[in-house]
C-alpha cells in the first residue's frame, strides 16, 4: 500500500510541476445539423507553473480574491455618492428653471 501511495504522490508532483492539459469538444447534431457544441479545456498545474505560462486570472476575479468585500463596499459607497450628486443636480436645475420664469 505504501508503494502505491508514493507512486500517486510522484505522479501528482509531476503533473503539478509540468502541467496537464485536457481538451475536447462535445458536439450534438441531429440529421447532420449541429445543434450544440461544448468546448472543454482543462489545465491542471501548480500556481507557480500557471503564472509561468501567463495564467493569473484568479488574482483579478472578484469572487476569488480576498478583496471582494472591500470592492463591494467601495461599490456601494460610490453608488451612494452618485445618487447624492444626482439629487443635487436636480435641485440646481429646478432652481435655474424657477429663476428663468420670474419676471425681472
Amino acid at each position: 500500500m505504501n508503494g502505491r501511495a508514493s507512486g500517486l504522490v510522484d505522479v501528482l508532483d509531476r503533473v503539478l510541476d509540468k502541467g496537464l492539459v485536457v481538451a475536447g469538444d462535445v458536439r450534438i447534431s441531429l440529421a447532420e445539423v449541429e445543434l450544440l457544441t461544448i468546448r472543454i479545456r482543462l489545465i491542471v498545474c501548480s500556481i507557480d507553473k500557471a503564472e509561468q505560462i501567463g495564467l493569473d486570472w484568479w488574482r483579478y476575479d472578484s469572487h476569488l480574491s480576498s478583496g471582494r468585500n472591500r470592492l463591494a463596499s467601495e461599490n456601494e459607497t460610490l453608488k451612494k455618492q452618485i445618487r447624492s450628486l444626482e439629487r443635487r443636480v436636480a435641485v440646481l436645475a429646478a432652481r435655474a428653471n424657477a429663476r428663468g420664469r420670474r419676471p425681472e
Side-chain angles (χ1 to χ4, degrees), residues 21-75:
V21 176
V22 178
D25 295 339
V26 176
R27 291 191 178 131
I28 299 174
S29 300
L30 180 64
E32 295 190 26
V33 175
E34 189 172 312
L35 300 175
L36 177 67
T37 299
I38 300 173
R39 302 191 83 136
I40 300 169
R41 306 294 181 260
L42 173 68
I43 297 175
V44 179
C45 62
S46 68
I47 290 176
D48 294 334
K49 186 65 174 180
E51 289 175 338
Q52 284 176 2
I53 60 175
L55 296 175
D56 60 355
W57 52 265
W58 61 86
R59 292 182 182 210
Y60 310 106
D61 188 326
S62 62
H63 293 92
L64 298 175
S65 66
S66 60
R68 181 176 72 184
N69 292 335
R70 181 185 56 81
L71 291 175
S73 174
E74 183 179 338
N75 190 18

Side-chain angles (χ1 to χ4, degrees), residues 96-104:
N97 286 337
R99 286 184 192 149
R101 292 185 195 141
R102 288 185 188 166
E104 292 186 23

Side-chain angles (χ1 to χ4, degrees), residues 79-103:
K79 286 180 181 179
K80 287 178 183 177
Q81 289 175 350
I82 289 171
R83 285 191 294 268
S84 174
L85 289 171
E86 287 172 340
R87 284 192 296 270
R88 288 182 186 178
V89 168
V91 168
L92 291 174
R95 286 182 186 170
N97 286 337
R99 286 184 192 149
R101 292 185 195 141
R102 288 185 188 166

